Amino acid sequence: MTDAGPTKRHNGHAGGDPGATSHVGPPSGIPRPWWIYQGTGRPLHDVSLEEVLPPPPPWRTFNGVSAGPPDGIEAETREYSNEVLQNGEGDAPTEPPAPPEDEQDAARRLGAAPLGMRSDPEEADVVNAALILRRPLLVTGRPGTGKSTLAYRISRELGLGRVLRWPITTRTTLRSGLYEYDAVGRVHAAAAGQATDPDHPEPGPEDIGGFLQLGPLGTAMLPHRLPRVLLIDEFDKSDIDLPNDLLDIFEAGEYLIPELVRIRSRSPAVRVLTDDPDRSAVIAAGRVRCRAFPTVVITSNDEREFPPAFLRRCLQLRLPDPDADRLAAIVAAHLGRAGDPRALELIQMFLERSRLEGGLAADQLLNAVYLVTSQAHRPGPEWEELLHAVWHRLDAAGPT
């Protein structure tokens, strides 16, 4: 990230104050001049995110530096780059770029083709504000409205690579998102080594890295040059203390790994595994500090309220139920059958059923369209029963 302001936008406009508008804004489908994220799902062309993303506000600036060479690069290379940095001749060493997006995972979320329509201006406004302010994005809405999909669309459009997904349950702790340490496995490995070789040395601090792996949150907070996309999914299922615990990490932009802090005098730098497949990172003195604050998308189904202090530090976005045009675009992206008269009829039936049932999820429509347009479907009275099973109510209480 450079200290200079952006010189161009990929929609052809120069950078400016995102709030400097004298009217409500352009109608749906027309991008605003200050947008970086356009809401199309199509990757940037002829420009990189680093060129168009303004520097962070002073209170959201972090100075993390990678502590060791990337996988496969000799230590002398990093020592040289550190020396260049100290002489003011280069940029701070950072982690290597994110792995490319998981194509299978992205296809499940986004479909095989772009959505074919732009996001609502209100959605793009809030997403861009979160990008510029380096603030987490809290996305709420009924199940199936595309909350989790938003993280994948942002990553694909801005070229930010593999999405780091942290699924939340009632048993999730902050540490599980930051890192996992297999102390028992380390002891067992040492015992097995001594059993086969009596002269096998006792486990030392240098071998701890093989038993410590950063989680999705911990990996996102590494000192990357460009932000990683972190999806914290179904955050409303979390323990009551997790929002406040997470808030401290987001404000500080760093965290400690106590197991590495305790051995820092003997092992000042330890290579550990990360959440990215076949990737590792070097942690110095047990401290991890970010450089580019991650693009954090937190989803919630409104099953609980969050503390005011947490809400104050997030930008909030509520996704509405998709209308007929958006549902047709979703069907086209995933199945390529939006023009099929049977699919169009199902979309209208789905909207009516969704209204009666108090809201249905878009994937329930995809299931029905796939069934009716596949060779397995045969018209008949049993179809209505099957449709009722596919379009089942999402909550026991139903509409209120």
Side-chain angles (χ1 to χ4, degrees):
M1 201 72 60
T2 61
D3 293 332
T7 58
K8 54 182 176 177
R9 292 276 187 257
H10 70 282
N11 56 14
H13 295 272
D17 181 4
T21 56
S22 58
H23 51 81
V24 174
S28 178
I30 301 178
R32 306 193 202 278
W34 63 278
W35 281 356
I36 301 168
Y37 167 78
Q38 301 291 303
T40 63
R42 295 183 175 90
L44 298 179
H45 290 291
D46 303 323
V47 68
S48 68
L49 177 62
E50 196 167 14
E51 293 178 89
V52 298
L53 184 64
W59 55 91
R60 299 297 295 162
T61 299
F62 305 98
N63 62 352
V65 175
S66 181
D71 296 330
I73 297 181
E74 296 299 327
E76 291 79 4
T77 303
R78 178 49 51 89
E79 290 173 2
Y80 171 76
S81 64
N82 284 336
E83 181 178 334
V84 169
L85 176 65
Q86 292 170 2
N87 293 334
E89 301 171 0
D91 295 329
T94 55
E95 295 298 313
E101 71 175 11
D102 185 321
E103 294 184 3
Q104 187 176 35
D105 192 24
R108 285 196 299 267
R109 301 278 187 167
L110 301 174
L115 194 57
M117 63 184 303
R118 193 181 300 277
S119 299
D120 292 334
E122 294 79 10
E123 174 186 315
D125 279 345
V126 178
V127 170
N128 279 287
L131 287 169
I132 294 171
L133 295 174
R134 275 65 167 186
R135 286 293 185 185
L137 184 63
L138 177 60
V139 186
T140 60
R142 289 200 290 201
T145 53
K147 300 184 296 295
S148 301
T149 301
L150 179 59
Y152 291 83
R153 194 160 63 245
I154 293 171
S155 180
R156 173 173 289 183
E157 183 169 325
L158 302 184
L160 295 177
R162 177 178 177 266
V163 173
L164 296 161
R165 179 174 176 266
W166 184 20
I168 303 298
T169 70
T170 55
R171 297 180 298 276
T172 299
T173 63
L174 179 64
R175 175 176 148 162
S176 67
L178 292 174
Y179 71 97
E180 295 282 359
Y181 173 47
D182 186 6
V184 175
R186 188 181 178 205
V187 171
H188 286 171
Q194 289 178 339
T196 57
D197 181 5
D199 297 327
H200 186 81
E202 293 287 335
E206 64 280 353
D207 74 340
I208 193 174
F211 300 91
L212 198 152
Q213 181 173 15
L214 302 185
L217 173 60
T219 302
M221 298 297 290
L222 286 169
H224 296 283
R225 186 174 182 83
L226 291 176
R228 294 296 301 270
V229 176
L230 172 65
L231 171 61
I232 305 179
D233 216 3
E234 299 192 340
F235 195 55
D236 46 343
K237 290 182 170 58
S238 68
D239 177 80
I240 192 172
D241 294 325
L242 186 57
N244 287 326
D245 294 341
L246 188 60
L247 181 62
D248 183 65
I249 300 293
F250 285 161
E251 285 301 292
E254 64 180 35
Y255 64 94
L256 295 176
I257 302 177
E259 291 83 354
L260 300 185
V261 172
R262 287 194 291 267
I263 63 172
R264 65 185 184 277
S265 60
R266 292 174 292 167
S267 295
V270 177
R271 183 175 291 278
V272 303
L273 303 173
T274 71
D275 189 68
D276 291 320
D278 304 319
R279 290 279 187 102
S280 64
V282 175
I283 309 301
R287 182 184 298 272
V288 176
R289 176 179 295 167
C290 74
R291 190 166 191 88
F293 187 80
T295 299
V296 183
V297 178
I298 305 171
T299 70
S300 169
N301 293 324
D302 285 335
E303 294 181 3
R304 60 170 287 192
E305 295 182 352
F306 297 112
F310 179 81
L311 295 176
R312 180 167 60 88
R313 291 170 173 85
C314 295
L315 273 72
Q316 300 181 53
L317 170 66
R318 181 168 184 85
L319 294 185
D321 293 343
D323 58 16
D325 289 340
R326 184 158 292 273
L327 288 174
I330 291 173
V331 170
H334 286 269
L335 301 174
R337 298 168 183 169
D340 190 312
R342 295 170 296 179
L344 296 175
E345 181 183 4
L346 273 175
I347 289 173
Q348 296 302 319
M349 293 173 60
F350 175 84
L351 288 170
E352 179 63 20
R353 182 69 66 89
S354 180
R355 184 184 65 81
L356 295 174
E357 299 289 358
L360 297 176
D363 63 325
Q364 292 176 284
L365 171 64
L366 291 175
N367 290 335
V369 172
Y370 185 81
L371 282 173
V372 78
T373 57
S374 69
Q375 298 300 320
H377 173 253
R378 295 291 182 273
E382 71 278 1
W383 168 243
E384 283 296 327
E385 297 181 8
L386 179 59
L387 199 60
H388 181 75
V390 173
W391 289 352
H392 61 83
R393 183 176 294 174
L394 297 180
D395 60 79
T400 57

